Amino acid sequence: MFDSRHIRTFHEVVAAGSYSAAARALGYTQPAVTQQMKALERAAGTPLFTRVGRTMQLTEAGKSLARHAESILGTLTAAESQLKAYARLRTGRVRLCGFPSANATLVPEALSSLAKDHPGIQVELLECEPPESLRRLERGECDITLAFTYPGLHEELPEEVAEIRLMEDQLTVLLPTGHPLARRRAVHLADLAEERWIAGCPRCRANLLHECAELGFVPDIRFATDDNLVVQSMVGQGLGVAMMPALLLPSLSLTRVCGRALQPAARRHIAAYVYRDHLRIPATAVALDVLKTVASNRVGC
């Protein structure tokens, strides 16, 4: 294995024509240059220089290494520049996996901030509901996962995965604007016992069943979809009511649907998950910081 320092010194010796001239150019002593060249020849397994009278000439092996030295040093310089760019956040790539309502709200705001302050950071956006999104993190398919849990539900994660709480998101009930209960500021869940329901992803459906069971009824679930736009459209057509996170309310088309607070109050917890080692990667760390800032502005939804 060649030492890159020796290659740099060798390149300067070839350019300067002697050990002493190379030493002056590099700020080394001549014995230091001599020792480096001897070490390089040992690594090469063959002499690189020969003396003819008072002049120093390259051997055939030396000529071959000289042809490669410039490209080797150019590649090293490019690599060093790129690594410095990563460290200084001029460039980098982050694979972010979010669930649909986060990708429609928190993530675009965070990406806008990243693009403004760190234009060299590229974000690859994936979409998946928990718990599958967390499995993707464990399989190495993403760097950061956004996921939500409900009270009483705890993620089973490897010890090396860190959970970073972002916010609590209030749950609301989505009603057609003409619904009799739409005139209220808040709706008691028990008052919806006779309604048809449109459920969300399996985790949200399980929470709906649990909340209703606590009040002594089983909801009549007619449809299930994890597409929030489809849920909104179905509610708008009078096909049922739905639980909807308050995070999404600002993005709703409120001409046909409305969101009302639920009683008793119900919330879900939103967090980011990342391997602890990845917290030392500058691009990942700054992406998390931006997500925390964006989420903190929405606490209390």
Side-chain angles (χ1 to χ4, degrees), residues 151 188-190 206-219 243 263-264 266:
H188 201 286
L189 185 58
N207 181 68
L208 171 63
L209 291 170
H210 171 75
E211 295 284 347
C212 295
E214 289 288 300
L215 297 175
F217 73 96
V218 177
M243 267 194 186
Q263 294 178 338

Side-chain angles (χ1 to χ4, degrees), residues 220-289:
D220 178 12
I221 298 176
R222 297 295 181 90
F223 305 98
T225 174
D226 59 2
D227 188 320
N228 294 303
L229 182 59
V230 173
V231 172
Q232 178 185 168
S233 297
M234 285 185 165
V235 172
Q237 291 293 335
L239 297 173
V241 300
M243 267 194 186
M244 178 69 68
L247 187 64
L248 278 171
L249 292 185
S251 64
L252 294 180
S253 174
L254 299 179
T255 57
R256 302 180 69 179
V257 298
C258 60
R260 295 292 180 263
L262 274 171
Q263 294 178 338
R267 291 177 178 269
R268 64 177 184 172
H269 309 293
I270 298 177
Y273 299 85
V274 61
Y275 276 94
R276 299 183 195 277
D277 283 350
H278 288 193
L279 293 172
R280 297 186 291 116
I281 299 174
T284 301
V286 76
L288 281 169
D289 285 342

Side-chain angles (χ1 to χ4, degrees), residues 95-98 133-134 136-137 142-147 271-274:
R95 298 169 299 164
L96 174 63
C97 183
S133 58
L134 293 159
R136 296 189 74 167
L137 178 70
C142 58
D143 304 306
I144 302 172
T145 280
L146 300 180
Y273 299 85
V274 61

Side-chain angles (χ1 to χ4, degrees), residues 65-98:
L65 182 58
R67 288 193 294 269
H68 291 290
E70 189 167 351
S71 62
I72 291 171
L73 294 174
T75 300
L76 285 172
T77 299
E80 289 171 355
S81 297
Q82 189 170 25
L83 290 175
K84 288 178 181 177
Y86 280 114
R88 295 171 183 169
L89 291 176
R90 287 201 298 266
T91 188
R93 182 173 74 104
V94 179
R95 298 169 299 164
L96 174 63
C97 183

